Amino acid sequence: MLERKGSILSVREDIKVFDCTIRDGGLVNNYQFSDEFVKAHYEACVASGVDYMEIGKNVSPTIMSEDEYGPWNFCKEEDIRRIVGENNTDMKIAVMSDIGRSLKEELRPKEESVVDMIRIATYIHQLPAAIELIEDAHAKGYETTVNVMAISKSFDDELTEVLNQLAQTPVDVIYIADSFGSFYPEQIVKLTEKYLKIAEASGKKIGIHAHNNLQLAYANTIEAMTYGASFLDVTVSGLGRGAGNCPMELLIGFLKNPKYKLMPILKFIEEFIVPLEKELDWGYSIPYMLTGQLNEHPRPAMKARDEKNTEYREFYRDLLKE
Amino acid sequence: MLERKGSILSVREDIKVFDCTIRDGGLVNNYQFSDEFVKAHYEACVASGVDYMEIGKNVSPTIMSEDEYGPWNFCKEEDIRRIVGENNTDMKIAVMSDIGRSLKEELRPKEESVVDMIRIATYIHQLPAAIELIEDAHAKGYETTVNVMAISKSFDDELTEVLNQLAQTPVDVIYIADSFGSFYPEQIVKLTEKYLKIAEASGKKIGIHAHNNLQLAYANTIEAMTYGASFLDVTVSGLGRGAGNCPMELLIGFLKNPKYKLMPILKFIEEFIVPLEKELDWGYSIPYMLTGQLNEHPRPAMKARDEKNTEYREFYRDLLKE
């Protein structure tokens, strides 16, 4: 069994607070954030000591429509620079690549970009394509992570094989992604042990990306951290698809490193999240709980929320039928 | 270090799902629930396999006003029987006693009451009075529990002394009560170990009553359960003072004992909680998070929510001043 790393009062220098508010939040509003919103968010992250900010996805405009999706679905260099300038801060900028939607031909070399890190999100069946993107981004000078999605549906030996293959790549961080928000803390401990064993042998770090379907996003994040995960994904007020993510303000309130500050996040929440809550729907609710408990994609729950459907028994019966 | 009891798939016959929706929820609306609401809730609990239902407090009408508070603050025998009749079900009925507000002279013998259990809530400084109530209720034939409140403010050796004194009483269950919603799972594990060591030696059970200030009520409940707590306090949709409690629907969805059923709870939520959410305010929010992180009583956060105050920075600065 794994040892806990550090105590509840210790400062662990390996911890990285990773903000993905714009990227995961963009799934709620098709990346239609105003520049004012993204700029204020960027400044809040810098002021609060966040280590990385993921500003969106680098989907190719040849594949998804710029009429339908806002700029943060594409993350053109000029759009990012309009917000962060040269980003002369201690915070690094990340962008997420989707397999089949992000094209390596469109990724410029690191020295021509203000972006520091490329995060590759992949399903298990897309692994060879993900490895191509990892190798390309690494060769171009970026830090890289890989988020293997939907692992709660995979077999253990299949996941082992995936991790062994990723250990051979130059990727810097391998993420435990709880795509359906269905994992319990004791399962997260076992996953952390499994990931860490393979990753540490090849000099990589482990990250955790949790969802809040069972009100466990924060608990699972600190559990993974306690047992050795160091890249911790959060979003302000949990803004993100479906039941949302681990709230940044909870994690910052827990970490003892004095570099992290709560006040700038509270400012951003006051000024930008309070009004947004009247427009957009995200966060824990009964339909997300039900898809989480059944280890299913939140898609039907998103539909129920869109339709303001509170006929929970019928919703549950339909889920059980599938 | 403690061993985990059972696995994620096992059925533990010692587990008791303890509903306190009306009692803790009554703190939100001064116990002004309609009979229709309480009756539907009672029926939902019976149908879902809940083991105990706490229907309110037995405060003396000589101490608090029946004009201001509804019937579930007083729990007169005739009011309870109007809902549960003779309670010819497998579910037991509990009532909470407050030190200084519940009078042992007013507690009738068990054979004259449909109530099965008296739960005594006490602060540490009230312990002798609590022990008097425990002994009286036990002598009159009731099961008893004691919830020692605000232990996150107590010294460890003081808490040890409290537990040792309680071990000498006839109380059946000793509760870990996270009154300020400020405990993290790893602290809950240590508390469970501490309580269990003393309680098991004297043949008592351990319970957990969590609050959701840090979105950890459910995580802390399953953590305490995993390490041996067996009485698990929940409320439907977390209804309860401030940030609320561990949601019953999350726990029932986790437990593998087929006697527990989710559908009747979903029915009650559809019909009674969805409308109530438009009238009453409870559950996780930034002010409750801040009092939880600072290990303070939620009182100022309750005031901020009442006033719909979202000036979170000022609220936080005021808390830090106190």
Side-chain angles (χ1 to χ4, degrees):
Chain A
M1 196 55 184
L2 275 181
E3 288 287 309
R4 289 174 190 267
K5 307 271 193 283
S7 82
I8 204 161
L9 283 176
S10 59
V11 168
R12 267 174 49 195
E13 299 293 346
D14 63 313
I15 295 292
K16 304 294 174 196
V17 175
F18 195 107
D19 167 75
C20 41
T21 305
I22 304 299
R23 202 274 307 155
D24 212 319
L27 296 169
V28 185
N29 71 349
N30 286 354
Y31 296 95
Q32 305 286 5
F33 294 109
S34 69
D35 278 9
E36 188 198 5
F37 185 99
V38 181
K39 180 96 177 155
H41 175 67
Y42 166 75
E43 285 166 0
C45 286
V46 170
S48 65
V50 162
D51 298 286
Y52 289 79
M53 171 178 159
E54 188 176 50
I55 199 165
K57 290 190 179 185
N58 65 357
V59 167
S60 172
T62 65
I63 291 178
M64 288 172 86
S65 158
E66 290 182 84
D67 295 333
E68 196 178 343
Y69 295 90
W72 313 108
N73 192 40
F74 308 101
C75 283
K76 293 179 185 167
E77 191 70 24
E78 63 267 29
D79 288 326
I80 301 176
R81 285 182 190 264
R82 202 169 63 237
I83 304 297
V84 312
E86 291 295 321
N87 185 35
N88 291 318
T89 73
D90 291 335
M91 184 176 76
K92 294 183 176 176
I93 302 294
V95 157
M96 180 166 274
S97 293
D98 281 349
I99 307 298
R101 291 183 186 154
S102 300
L103 304 179
K104 62 183 186 181
E105 307 80 65
E106 292 179 7
L107 185 68
R108 65 183 71 199
K110 164 70 196 111
E111 58 268 25
E112 296 169 23
S113 175
V114 74
V115 172
D116 301 283
M117 173 186 272
I118 304 293
R119 300 219 300 171
I120 290 104
T122 182
Y123 289 105
I124 285 180
H125 69 271
Q126 301 168 321
L127 191 64
I131 291 173
E132 256 187 39
L133 286 189
I134 291 166
E135 287 172 347
D136 177 69
H138 178 79
K140 286 174 177 160
Y142 294 95
E143 296 177 43
T144 53
T145 77
V146 63
N147 298 35
V148 185
M149 297 184 290
I151 55 170
S152 57
K153 292 280 199 186
S154 74
F155 288 102
D156 191 54
D157 57 349
E158 184 182 37
L159 183 56
T160 305
E161 171 63 16
V162 168
L163 294 174
N164 283 331
Q165 286 201 31
L166 289 171
Q168 320 282 316
T169 72
V171 78
D172 299 298
V173 187
I174 306 177
Y175 265 83
I176 301 165
D178 182 11
S179 304
F180 303 152
S182 61
F183 283 124
Y184 293 98
E186 64 178 283
Q187 296 173 303
I188 290 291
V189 173
K190 286 181 194 152
L191 283 167
T192 304
E193 183 168 21
K194 181 180 180 74
Y195 276 58
L196 210 55
K197 198 173 155 194
I198 295 173
E200 279 189 337
S202 54
K204 302 183 189 314
K205 301 283 189 192
I206 292 301
I208 169 90
H209 181 88
H211 280 284
N212 208 29
N213 298 60
L214 303 179
Q215 296 193 3
L216 292 173
Y218 175 49
N220 283 340
T221 300
I222 57 178
E223 193 75 355
M225 173 183 73
T226 299
Y227 288 98
S230 44
F231 277 68
L232 310 176
D233 279 18
V234 293
T235 68
V236 176
S237 291
L239 179 60
R241 182 159 67 177
N245 300 82
C246 174
M248 181 191 288
E249 55 276 20
L250 282 170
L251 184 67
I252 295 279
F254 177 85
L255 294 172
K256 302 304 180 292
N257 188 333
K259 80 176 253 201
Y260 297 120
K261 302 200 172 9
L262 192 54
M263 213 51 108
I265 308 170
L266 294 181
K267 177 174 192 287
F268 181 74
I269 293 174
E270 267 183 52
E271 295 174 352
F272 289 90
I273 297 292
V274 170
L276 197 68
E277 284 171 337
K278 292 174 184 125
E279 286 171 39
L280 294 182
D281 177 70
W282 76 91
Y284 172 83
S285 65
I286 298 291
Y288 293 125
M289 175 195 83
L290 293 170
T291 61
Q293 285 177 346
L294 295 176
N295 187 20
E296 292 294 340
H297 194 287
R299 220 173 283 114
M302 290 157 65
K303 184 160 174 288
R305 295 295 297 179
D306 273 352
E307 295 169 352
K308 300 191 192 310
N309 177 1
T310 57
E311 294 184 354
Y312 299 137
R313 280 171 295 173
E314 195 190 338
F315 177 80
Y316 190 41
R317 276 192 291 263
D318 284 348
L319 277 184
L320 291 171
K321 255 187 249 165
E322 273 172 18
Chain B
M1 197 55 183
L2 275 182
E3 289 286 311
R4 288 175 192 267
K5 307 273 192 284
S7 82
I8 206 162
L9 282 177
S10 59
V11 168
R12 268 174 49 199
E13 298 293 346
D14 62 312
I15 295 292
K16 304 293 174 197
V17 174
F18 195 106
D19 168 75
C20 41
T21 304
I22 304 299
R23 202 275 306 157
D24 211 319
L27 296 169
V28 185
N29 72 348
N30 287 355
Y31 295 94
Q32 306 286 4
F33 294 109
S34 68
D35 278 8
E36 188 199 3
F37 185 98
V38 181
K39 179 97 179 154
H41 175 65
Y42 166 75
E43 285 166 1
C45 286
V46 170
S48 65
V50 161
D51 299 286
Y52 289 80
M53 171 178 160
E54 187 176 51
I55 199 165
K57 290 191 181 186
N58 64 358
V59 167
S60 172
T62 65
I63 291 178
M64 289 172 87
S65 157
E66 289 181 86
D67 294 333
E68 196 177 344
Y69 295 90
W72 313 108
N73 193 40
F74 307 102
C75 282
K76 294 180 188 166
E77 191 69 24
E78 64 266 29
D79 288 325
I80 302 176
R81 285 183 190 262
R82 204 169 60 237
I83 305 297
V84 311
E86 291 294 320
N87 185 36
N88 291 318
T89 74
D90 290 336
M91 184 175 77
K92 294 183 176 176
I93 301 295
V95 157
M96 179 166 274
S97 293
D98 282 350
I99 307 298
R101 291 183 186 153
S102 300
L103 305 178
K104 62 183 185 180
E105 304 81 64
E106 292 180 6
L107 186 67
R108 65 183 70 199
K110 163 70 194 111
E111 58 268 24
E112 296 170 21
S113 176
V114 73
V115 172
D116 301 283
M117 173 186 272
I118 303 293
R119 300 218 302 171
I120 290 106
T122 182
Y123 289 106
I124 284 180
H125 70 271
Q126 302 168 320
L127 190 64
I131 291 173
E132 257 188 37
L133 287 189
I134 291 166
E135 288 172 347
D136 177 68
H138 177 79
K140 286 176 178 158
Y142 294 95
E143 295 179 44
T144 55
T145 78
V146 62
N147 298 35
V148 185
M149 298 184 290
I151 55 169
S152 57
K153 293 279 199 187
S154 74
F155 288 102
D156 191 54
D157 56 350
E158 184 182 35
L159 184 56
T160 306
E161 172 62 17
V162 168
L163 295 175
N164 283 331
Q165 286 201 29
L166 289 171
Q168 318 284 316
T169 72
V171 78
D172 298 297
V173 188
I174 306 177
Y175 265 84
I176 302 166
D178 182 11
S179 304
F180 303 153
S182 61
F183 283 123
Y184 292 99
E186 65 178 282
Q187 297 173 302
I188 289 291
V189 174
K190 285 180 194 154
L191 282 167
T192 304
E193 183 167 20
K194 181 181 180 75
Y195 275 58
L196 211 54
K197 198 171 155 196
I198 295 173
E200 280 189 335
S202 54
K204 302 182 189 313
K205 300 284 189 189
I206 292 300
I208 170 91
H209 181 88
H211 281 284
N212 208 27
N213 297 62
L214 303 179
Q215 296 192 4
L216 292 173
Y218 175 49
N220 284 340
T221 300
I222 57 178
E223 192 75 355
M225 173 184 72
T226 299
Y227 288 97
S230 44
F231 277 67
L232 310 176
D233 279 18
V234 292
T235 67
V236 175
S237 290
L239 179 59
R241 181 158 69 177
N245 299 83
C246 173
M248 181 192 287
E249 55 275 21
L250 282 170
L251 184 67
I252 295 279
F254 177 84
L255 295 173
K256 302 304 179 291
N257 188 332
K259 78 176 254 199
Y260 297 119
K261 304 204 171 5
L262 193 54
M263 214 52 108
I265 308 171
L266 295 181
K267 178 174 191 286
F268 181 74
I269 292 174
E270 269 183 49
E271 295 175 352
F272 289 91
I273 298 291
V274 170
L276 196 68
E277 284 171 338
K278 292 174 185 127
E279 286 171 39
L280 293 182
D281 178 68
W282 77 91
Y284 172 82
S285 65
I286 298 291
Y288 294 124
M289 175 195 84
L290 293 170
T291 61
Q293 285 178 347
L294 295 175
N295 187 21
E296 293 292 342
H297 195 285
R299 222 172 282 113
M302 287 157 66
K303 183 160 176 288
R305 295 294 298 178
D306 273 352
E307 296 168 352
K308 300 189 193 309
N309 177 3
T310 57
E311 294 185 355
Y312 298 137
R313 280 170 297 171
E314 194 190 338
F315 178 81
Y316 190 40
R317 276 191 292 263
D318 285 348
L319 277 185
L320 291 170
K321 255 186 248 164
E322 274 171 19

